[in-house]
Amino acid sequence: MRIKIRTSKWAIWARRLGSVAVPLVLLPVLMHREGFIDAATFLVLILFAGALAALAVLVSLGALIRLWFSGDQGWSRALAGLSLGLACVAPFGWYGALALRNPPVTDIATAPRSELPLIFQPDTAAMPPPLLLSAAEQGRLFPNAATRDYPLDVIQLFALVDRLVRANGWDVRRRSEPLDFSEEGRINARIVTLPGWQDEAVLLVRPTRDGARVDMRSASIGAPIDFGANGQRISQLLTALDSEVTAFLRDNPNISEPVMPDVVPNPEVETGER
């Protein structure tokens, strides 16, 4: 007589939940990045997907425990559900860790925000008010996110800033290049994060008495918090700019020295003896 071994229903449901969680996590992200859904809808969908993924992990663990004691079939189903559930839960764990490690903020700037205006105008009714840090908190958490002064003229410095922005692949929406040593240069660029949130970076290059100065602002549009992205973005770009300026000055050691006009001898001045 052949004994039929049954398949655990827990294992069946574990794989089903894991299989459903994958598209429920990916689709809202893709739709949010392409602009098919707004921020509020995205938050609802992604939180529901995260809850379902967590449920898939719990059911999978329960199935594995029951299989260990019952001897039923379904190990492959339970392990598949666990793998899919963990893959879907992992991004939530990553962003949760970032949220715990960074303060709740959505806007970082190295100068007054009136000098670094945003050009992206979303639906202001749906956009939450910006979360800001005090100057002391910003200096402690992001010490490299600070104004930079360099011994270069504004045209030279703007060229270096513009090259870094394009190297990062940011979508430049407005670019005002200085055509004279007394003019300012400005860049407004759009950045789309992995979950589909839209950020805006503003860079201002202006002349000073001893060279030129760079200020930067990075702000999240519609996101509840930035998970530290804005402060890190400013710190990384300005640190990279430090390296670019250092290399530029090393390769052009006389670039910051004033150019002296050639001395034209006066024929009326007698240089010989009388």
Side-chain angles (χ1 to χ4, degrees), residues 4-274:
K4 184 178 181 180
I5 302 176
R6 65 177 184 178
T7 300
S8 170
K9 291 183 178 180
W10 280 66
I12 295 173
W13 276 104
R15 190 176 67 173
R16 287 176 178 174
L17 290 172
S19 301
V20 172
V22 173
L24 284 182
V25 170
L26 293 179
L27 285 177
V29 172
L30 295 176
M31 294 174 69
H32 191 215
R33 288 180 62 88
E34 297 300 323
F36 295 127
I37 57 176
D38 58 19
T41 305
F42 169 72
L43 282 175
V44 172
L45 293 177
I46 202 66
L47 290 176
F48 175 77
L52 187 66
L55 180 61
V57 172
L58 292 176
V59 173
S60 299
L61 293 175
L64 291 173
I65 294 173
R66 290 176 66 88
L67 289 172
W68 179 265
F69 289 103
S70 67
D72 292 342
Q73 292 181 347
W75 285 93
S76 61
R77 290 180 172 88
L79 291 173
L82 180 62
S83 300
L84 294 173
L86 288 176
C88 294
V89 167
F92 293 91
W94 169 255
Y95 280 101
L98 290 177
L100 293 175
R101 192 162 62 239
N102 295 281
V105 62
T106 58
D107 194 335
I108 299 289
T110 65
R113 288 167 177 80
S114 59
E115 301 176 2
L116 300 164
L118 305 175
I119 64 170
F120 182 50
Q121 298 295 333
D123 182 3
T124 55
M127 181 179 175
L131 302 175
L132 309 177
L133 293 176
S134 67
E137 289 176 321
Q138 181 173 316
R140 178 176 59 84
L141 295 170
F142 304 107
N144 288 321
T147 301
R148 296 294 202 274
D149 288 283
Y150 299 108
L152 299 177
D153 65 55
V154 67
I155 297 178
Q156 294 166 343
L157 186 56
F158 182 85
L160 295 178
V161 170
D162 186 48
R163 186 169 67 184
L164 281 177
V165 169
R166 297 186 183 280
N168 282 322
W170 298 349
D171 181 13
V172 176
R173 293 301 182 93
R174 180 176 296 174
R175 181 179 179 275
S176 177
E177 182 178 359
L179 302 177
D180 186 80
F181 296 120
S182 61
E183 294 183 354
E184 297 180 346
R186 189 182 301 270
I187 295 175
N188 289 72
R190 187 82 55 81
I191 303 105
V192 180
T193 63
L194 183 60
W197 300 113
Q198 296 190 30
D199 297 348
E200 183 171 349
V202 187
L203 292 111
L204 175 63
V205 184
R206 45 190 165 181
T208 62
R209 176 179 296 180
D210 300 319
R213 171 175 298 171
V214 177
D215 281 298
M216 182 174 177
R217 178 184 182 185
S218 183
S220 299
I221 309 299
I225 56 175
D226 69 354
F227 301 99
N230 289 308
Q232 292 294 333
R233 181 177 296 122
I234 295 177
S235 299
Q236 291 171 3
L237 188 133
L238 293 181
T239 300
L241 184 60
D242 291 339
S243 300
E244 289 286 325
V245 171
T246 300
F248 184 80
L249 292 174
R250 183 190 62 232
D251 297 337
N252 303 274
N254 299 321
I255 198 68
S256 60
E257 295 183 1
V259 179
M260 301 300 294
D262 295 333
V263 177
V264 180
N266 189 344
E268 296 181 357
V269 178
E270 295 181 359
T271 58
E273 295 182 356
R274 291 183 180 271

